[in-house]
Structure formats: structure tokens, C-alpha cells
Amino acid sequence: MSDDDTGVRQLRLVVHAEDYGAALRFFRDVLGMPQEAAFAGGGGAEVTILDAGRATL
């Protein structure tokens, strides 16, 4: 079965962390996931989108 057969286009994983900066440094700098975009909102909300590449289980 190929990706085209399943209709699956992407997987999104949301990580909530008490220390946003430490979590970002781990995923981006230690694991090497390139940053695609970053957004900031009211109340100190922050979102960073990282490229995790292709994954298999």
C-alpha cells in the first residue's frame, strides 16, 4: 500500500513543554530538525514548526 492509497499526507505532533526554549533546543539543535516557521501570539504563546523528514514505525 502506498501513501497515495491511504490518503495520508502528513503527521502533526504537538509537544507541550514547561520550558519551551529547552524543548526547542533539543528538537532543533540536538536532534537536528530544521526550523520551517515560527509564530508568536498573545499571552506569550509560541509555536515553532520543525521538519521531521520522513518517518517509519
Side-chain angles (χ1 to χ4, degrees):
M1 183 178 287
S2 71
D3 289 344
D4 293 334
D5 296 337
T6 64
V8 174
R9 298 286 181 235
Q10 58 181 250
L11 169 68
R12 294 182 185 191
L13 175 66
V14 175
V15 176
H16 294 267
E18 287 186 31
D19 188 338
Y20 179 82
L24 180 58
R25 283 188 297 278
F26 174 73
F27 287 102
R28 184 189 59 205
D29 303 337
V30 175
L31 296 182
M33 297 174 148
Q35 182 172 318
E36 291 192 352
F39 306 94
E46 294 183 77
V47 173
T48 301
I49 299 173
L50 302 174
D51 181 1
R54 185 173 176 164
T56 57
L57 298 177

